[in-house]
């Protein structure tokens, strides 16, 4: 069994979004102060680039031993997920600035939750759905418990 890099082409948008999320996480750690706004806008830009990669990608393809499928419907659903993620990012960014709870982890968590949703859309097997669901849900659990000083937020994260 040989591995070809051309088999990664259908999953290129998800790979790009995952790498961008990890780079933004490192950027936030090393910049420390005042990196929330920058990472938020970079995350929105990464979602736009991911949308472009989806539109320019293959029309119909199956990869990873039939675990990952790309077709017209999955591309449409991924674009909708990216639009929703970008709008959520913009709304959360303005809320975090007014609530004085802006930290660089917030846009990264939204980015990984969006990645999990995109993986679930392209899943062609139960293990692929589970992987996407776990990535999405773990990010959303942390987002639910984001305000550490609020008891309702902490309770929501625990539940």
């Amino acid at each position: 069994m040989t591995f070809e890099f051309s088999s990664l082409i259908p999953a290129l948008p998800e790979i790009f979004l995952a790498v961008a999320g990890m780079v933004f996480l490192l950027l936030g750690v090393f910049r420390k102060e005042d990196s929330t706004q920058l990472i938020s806008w970079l995350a929105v830009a990464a979602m736009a680039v991911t949308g472009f990669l989806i539109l320019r990608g293959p029309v119909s393809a199956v990869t990873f031993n039939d675990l990952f499928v790309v077709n017209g419907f999955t591309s449409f659903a991924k674009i909708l997920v990216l639009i929703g993620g970008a709008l959520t990012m913009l709304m959360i960014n303005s809320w975090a600035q007014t609530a004085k709870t802006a930290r660089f982890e917030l846009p990264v968590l939204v980015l990984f939750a969006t990645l999990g949703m995109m993986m679930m859309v392209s899943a062609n097997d139960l293990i692929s759905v589970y992987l996407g669901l776990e990535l999405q849900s773990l990010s959303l659990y942390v987002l639910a418990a984001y305000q550490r000083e609020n008891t309702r937020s902490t309770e929501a994260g625990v539940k």
Side-chain angles (χ1 to χ4, degrees), residues 17 21-22 24-25 39 43 47 85 88-89 92 103-117 135-148:
L17 204 60
M22 289 183 270
F24 298 157
L25 194 59
I39 293 176
M47 289 183 189
T88 302
M89 188 83 66
I92 285 179
R103 293 190 294 265
F104 73 90
E105 296 94 349
L106 190 62
V108 173
L109 287 169
V110 173
L111 198 70
F112 282 131
T114 305
L115 175 63
M117 290 178 220
L135 182 57
Q136 175 201 359
S137 62
L138 287 174
S139 300
L140 292 179
Y141 295 154
V142 175
L143 279 175
Y146 185 70
Q147 289 182 309
R148 294 181 203 138

Side-chain angles (χ1 to χ4, degrees), residues 7-15 61-70 74 78 118-125 128:
S7 66
L8 296 177
I9 297 295
L12 188 61
E14 285 83 359
I15 293 170
V62 177
T63 188
F64 300 128
N65 292 330
D66 295 339
L67 294 178
F68 192 87
V69 65
V70 174
T74 60
K78 286 180 191 181
M118 289 176 58
M119 288 174 61
M120 282 193 300
V121 166
S122 289
N124 198 29
D125 196 302
S128 303

Side-chain angles (χ1 to χ4, degrees), residues 11 13 18-19 35 42 55 67 70-71 75-76 88 91 121 141 153-154:
V19 169
S35 62
L42 285 175
L55 293 175
L67 294 178
V70 174
N71 56 30
S75 297
F76 174 71
T88 302
M91 289 189 291
V121 166
Y141 295 154
S153 177
T154 305

